[in-house]
Amino acid sequence: MADTKREIERKYESDDAALPDLTRVPGVASVRERGVTHLDAIYYDTADQRLAASSVTLRRRTGGADAGWHLKFPVAPGVRDEIRAPLSDTLPDELAALVRSRVRDRELLPVVRLRSDRDVRHLLDEQDRLLAEVSVDTVHAERLTGEGGEAHWTEIEVELADDGDPAFLDKVEKRLRKAGVRPSTSSSKLARALAETAPAPDAGTAGTAGRQDTAATPPATAPEAAPRHKHRPRPDGTPATAGDHVLAYVRAQRDALVELDPAVRQDVPDAVHRMRVATRRLRSTFRSFRAVLDRAATDPVAADLKWLATELGKDRDQEVLAERLTRALGRLPADQVTGPVAERLAAWSEARHKGAHHELLAILDSRRHLSLLDTLDALLADPPLRKKAGARPDKVLPKAVRKDFRKLAGLVEHALELPPGQERDTALHEARKKTKRTRYAAEAAVPALGKPAEEAVREMKTLQGLLGDHQDSVMARRTLRELAAVAHAAGESDFTYGVLHAGEAHRARAAEEALPETWSSISRSFPF
């Protein structure tokens, strides 16, 4: 089985391999020599270095206390999550699955071999507790593909102890800098190895050699050609046209789908929700900005995104309901809880979640899902832009937001005209979905339009929260009726389910009563 470790470290380089006296670092009482360890690691990637382009590393390493397979995902500068699996001749299936959204059907090949002599020291406090590990690594890098060469260097690595205070690394760095040690210009050994062992450029291969050093230029998920329209981003990379802004938003959501895949597989809290939101944002963008992106090309993609969102919803909807009902049950007085309600709710939640998660893993491995990711890459590489894509963003984007808001207004006003009941519940749910679409359109416009778009996003979040609470109540009452029927059939009291049902009905009425005033305020102040 694989296990995960949060790794917080900093890398340095120096003109010599000598370390200063680290007992002068505040908080360090002693420095303990741990000796030299010989490490031998093979790094794997696709031929076009898709992992390196995302700052993800996959290696098989021998030597040291943690020999085995290591997969590292970036979290923040100097922070990575390392997932480890036992040493084996072939890549463990569980690690292969975690890189599938990036690798897809490409073969993973040995790309670099790093052999290091690691001289380790432990920094200890007065109670002999580990503060950080400092190592001086003498590295020999060898590229295993193409006409690449070899490289040698020495670097200093400082890794914070588990549960240590990251501020301690600042103290170590201050001491190192005073001694002439400087932060490394490479984010990782692999990045430096790829750069320093790349084939020498010549007239025929200069472009290729430049692309091979993808680890030095962070996270593009896949190689992309420049958009075909003549209005390209400015030289500094910022979007210039309406099309640039829409594509930047699409690209961010594509990246979210790819990057959240490992977290969903590992059942990280909220990961399914975040991936589902990314699918919704993409679908909404394709519909809201149809004047920018040709729907003949985006409609088939939107259909696949709807399918993915539905599959993700099977797990997410159950998760939301379980959390809501558990909180509501916890607020009830003891004399209103009769029978094993908490146990039945927990069993229902666990059984539904396990089944949904198992199905979701199959979806993420399916050909349809992987083809969807490929299609999004292709769409970004050669976007189906319409004429207005080349126009100024302040001319095109506000119009799209206004159009969505007008449709939302019609749905809300229609819902308010209906009497309480199932028909109104359905109408409010439709308004909720349109609220999200308007919010996402405004989000895409924020970099171009600034404060008016930010205000639109805030107002849509307010309305979405109100309508979302109402819809959650609708679904909670349906679930409570089902659970009550099961409890009654088992000879248990269904009283508490009725109490919870009444509470949910009260919340729904409160949301409906608050809606007219909330909507009136939003419709008066909406900035578009």
Side-chain angles (χ1 to χ4, degrees):
M1 291 292 294
D3 61 274
T4 302
K5 179 181 183 296
R6 176 62 56 88
E7 180 183 83
I8 303 176
E9 65 179 21
R10 299 183 188 180
K11 296 181 182 295
Y12 302 89
E13 53 192 41
S14 175
D15 294 330
D16 60 63
L19 286 173
D21 180 6
L22 295 176
T23 59
R24 296 178 63 182
V25 174
V28 176
S30 62
V31 177
R32 182 171 298 164
E33 301 278 349
R34 303 298 296 176
V36 176
T37 302
H38 303 285
L39 307 174
D40 192 344
I42 304 293
Y43 287 78
Y44 289 78
D45 207 338
T46 59
D48 56 356
Q49 295 181 9
R50 288 174 168 241
L51 297 184
S54 298
S55 298
V56 174
T57 61
L58 173 64
R59 72 187 179 201
R60 180 186 184 274
R61 191 168 78 180
T62 58
D66 62 346
W69 288 89
H70 303 160
L71 174 61
K72 298 188 181 186
F73 290 101
V75 175
V79 183
R80 295 186 292 182
D81 279 341
E82 180 178 273
I83 302 168
R84 300 174 179 175
L87 192 64
S88 61
D89 292 336
T90 58
L91 176 63
D93 290 342
E94 53 195 319
L95 297 192
L98 295 177
V99 297
R100 190 157 293 134
S101 65
R102 291 172 168 88
V103 173
R104 296 168 211 172
D105 60 356
R106 276 67 172 182
E107 183 182 5
L108 284 167
L109 306 167
V111 293
V112 166
R113 182 181 186 185
L114 292 181
R115 285 170 286 180
S116 306
D117 290 334
R118 170 164 291 181
D119 190 0
V120 178
R121 296 160 178 81
H122 284 178
L123 307 187
L124 308 172
D125 65 11
E126 290 182 350
Q127 285 74 44
D128 216 30
R129 293 175 300 197
L130 181 65
L131 298 171
E133 179 177 284
V134 180
S135 62
V136 179
D137 295 348
T138 303
V139 184
H140 173 211
E142 176 187 1
R143 185 175 285 245
L144 303 177
T145 59
E147 300 298 325
E150 300 182 3
H152 302 265
W153 70 87
T154 298
E155 70 179 34
I156 298 168
E157 185 176 289
V158 183
E159 182 174 349
L160 189 68
D162 293 346
D163 301 320
D165 182 0
F168 177 71
L169 295 182
D170 295 332
K171 299 176 182 179
V172 178
E173 179 164 315
K174 184 177 181 180
R175 176 66 183 137
L176 292 175
R177 282 178 175 270
K178 283 185 177 180
V181 177
R182 56 193 177 274
S184 175
T185 56
S186 295
S187 59
S188 67
K189 288 183 176 66
L190 177 61
R192 183 166 182 173
L194 289 172
E196 296 192 10
T197 66
D202 57 42
T205 63
T208 302
R211 285 194 300 271
Q212 285 177 326
D213 188 19
T214 52
T217 57
T221 299
E224 294 171 7
R228 287 183 296 180
H229 69 88
K230 64 181 180 179
H231 299 275
R232 296 182 179 178
R234 299 181 179 92
D236 63 359
T238 58
T241 65
D244 293 334
H245 282 278
V246 172
L247 288 175
Y249 193 71
V250 171
R251 184 175 292 106
Q253 308 318 314
R254 186 278 314 271
D255 289 350
L257 289 181
V258 172
E259 292 163 7
L260 284 167
D261 181 283
V264 171
R265 291 176 185 272
Q266 293 176 294
D267 209 10
V268 173
D270 206 40
V272 170
H273 169 63
R274 291 163 60 200
M275 181 180 278
R276 193 182 186 194
V277 168
T279 66
R280 287 171 170 167
R281 283 174 167 148
L282 281 168
R283 288 178 60 216
S284 295
T285 301
F286 292 154
R287 296 187 67 182
S288 296
F289 297 104
R290 63 187 70 186
V292 173
L293 295 173
D294 186 355
R295 286 193 63 180
T298 61
D299 277 356
V301 187
D304 281 341
L305 288 166
K306 183 177 182 180
W307 160 78
L308 178 58
T310 300
E311 297 297 334
L312 290 165
K314 294 177 182 178
D315 196 12
R316 173 59 183 171
D317 291 343
Q318 182 274 335
E319 181 183 10
V320 170
L321 281 176
E323 291 175 355
R324 183 182 182 97
L325 294 176
T326 300
R327 287 197 303 270
L329 180 62
R331 290 193 294 265
L332 291 182
D335 62 356
Q336 293 186 13
V337 180
T338 60
V341 182
E343 292 81 357
R344 185 167 292 283
L345 180 58
W348 168 81
S349 174
E350 182 67 17
R352 290 284 298 272
H353 175 69
K354 283 184 177 179
H357 187 69
H358 181 75
E359 292 176 9
L360 184 53
L361 294 181
I363 292 298
L364 296 180
D365 288 335
S366 70
R367 171 45 49 194
R368 185 174 184 181
H369 176 243
L370 298 177
S371 294
L372 169 60
L373 297 180
D374 284 339
T375 301
L376 288 170
D377 289 347
L379 185 146
L380 286 164
D382 190 15
L385 297 172
R386 302 184 68 189
K387 184 177 180 180
K388 288 187 178 179
R392 288 168 46 185
D394 59 348
K395 298 295 185 182
V396 176
L397 305 187
K399 184 176 180 180
V401 178
R402 281 195 299 270
K403 187 175 182 179
D404 281 341
F405 185 74
R406 285 196 297 268
K407 292 180 179 178
L408 169 61
L411 291 173
V412 173
E413 289 160 8
H414 169 66
L416 290 174
E417 293 172 353
L418 296 172
Q422 185 174 350
E423 189 177 357
R424 176 186 263 198
D425 291 344
T426 301
L428 290 174
H429 183 45
E430 291 301 314
R432 179 196 184 196
K433 291 191 287 186
K434 187 63 69 175
T435 301
K436 292 179 181 179
R437 179 170 156 186
T438 308
R439 171 189 168 182
Y440 300 149
E443 282 180 353
V446 165
L449 306 181
K451 289 185 177 180
E454 292 174 353
E455 178 60 28
V457 171
R458 282 194 293 270
E459 293 187 345
M460 290 301 96
K461 281 184 177 180
T462 298
L463 183 60
Q464 182 181 329
L466 186 64
L467 295 175
D469 190 51
H470 181 274
Q471 177 61 15
D472 288 347
S473 174
V474 171
M475 299 304 296
R477 280 176 280 160
R478 181 184 303 172
T479 299
L480 286 167
R481 289 193 292 269
E482 295 172 357
L483 290 173
V486 173
H488 181 77
E492 301 167 6
S493 170
D494 56 8
F495 171 78
T496 301
Y497 301 101
V499 173
L500 292 171
H501 189 283
E504 290 294 348
H506 174 75
R507 290 175 192 167
R509 286 194 299 272
E512 292 182 39
E513 291 169 0
L515 180 58
E517 183 177 347
T518 300
W519 174 247
S520 177
S521 175
I522 289 174
S523 59
R524 289 195 308 267
S525 62
F526 196 72
F528 291 103

